[in-house]
Amino acid sequence: MAKRVIRTDSDPLLRKTSKEVSKFDDRLKILIDDMFETMDEAPGVGLAAPQVGILKRVIVVDDREEENRKRMCMINPVITRKEGEDCDIEGCLSVPLKQGSVKRATDIDVEYMNLQGEKKSLNARDYFARIIQHEVDHLDGILFTDKAIDIYIPKEAKR
């Protein structure tokens, strides 16, 4: 495993649409392992492949603050249902020193593939739903700042 460089919002690659994964091989496994390591060291709760310079539809997520922790990779994720709405604060590893209020669905269904290429589906709510929506946006070249109602520099970043 290796920590990869996280690209920041000035990088035009982050504005491109990622391609679907069709090969489930050792290279994909290495990418996912590296993404988990990069996310953990950052530290973050989600990371999309474009953030490390790879235009593939791959995300890793970890709702480490929740009681029933979910840590997983999602390949070719598609959100098939969205319900409810909540506005909450988001930040992003690719948008350092900024946060903003973003409206997101509170209850989603997502279909994806696992590392073995098997189709899976998942219902996610609240914080975990927010993480998934944020990371799927990255796959379509969307940053949280595009959806934020307001953007600010948090007090702890001003020190």
Side-chain angles (χ1 to χ4, degrees):
M1 292 195 328
K3 182 179 174 199
R4 298 197 184 199
V5 174
I6 297 173
R7 297 187 179 226
T8 59
D9 54 348
S10 61
D11 190 323
L13 184 130
L14 291 176
R15 295 306 191 160
K16 297 186 183 291
T17 301
S18 297
K19 295 181 178 6
E20 282 200 2
V21 173
S22 57
K23 282 181 79 172
F24 294 80
D25 56 10
D26 288 341
R27 289 182 67 180
L28 181 62
K29 182 176 181 349
I30 290 167
L31 170 64
I32 291 167
D33 288 345
D34 289 355
M35 287 174 64
F36 273 119
E37 182 174 341
T38 303
M39 177 185 69
D40 290 343
E41 286 190 27
V45 294
L47 190 69
Q51 292 179 274
V52 293
I54 306 296
L55 285 173
K56 293 192 183 235
R57 298 190 77 78
V58 177
I59 65 173
V60 295
V61 292
D62 184 349
D63 67 341
R64 63 180 63 137
E65 295 177 16
E66 298 297 311
E67 187 176 320
N68 297 317
R69 184 177 182 178
K70 294 176 199 77
R71 180 177 173 88
M72 60 196 310
C73 72
M74 294 181 171
I75 302 163
N76 301 329
V78 176
I79 297 170
T80 58
R81 184 188 62 83
K82 294 181 180 183
E83 285 187 17
E85 184 178 84
D86 184 39
C87 189
D88 206 350
I89 305 298
E90 289 187 20
C92 180
L93 299 174
S94 290
V95 186
L97 306 179
K98 290 183 184 174
Q99 291 183 340
S101 302
V102 181
K103 287 183 182 176
R104 301 268 188 200
T106 56
D107 187 351
I108 65 169
D109 290 336
V110 60
E111 293 178 356
Y112 64 97
M113 299 173 103
N114 65 15
L115 193 50
Q116 291 72 42
E118 301 165 330
K119 290 186 178 185
K120 300 285 184 180
S121 62
L122 175 80
N123 173 259
R125 295 174 185 249
D126 304 320
Y127 184 58
F128 196 48
R130 178 171 293 278
I131 295 168
I132 293 169
Q133 291 169 86
H134 177 110
E135 299 310 328
V136 168
D137 276 353
H138 276 296
L139 304 180
D140 295 320
I142 300 168
L143 299 177
F144 87 91
T145 52
D146 300 332
K147 294 185 170 187
I149 295 165
D150 58 5
I151 298 170
Y152 59 91
I153 299 170
K155 289 179 185 175
E156 56 272 11
K158 292 179 183 176
R159 293 182 198 161

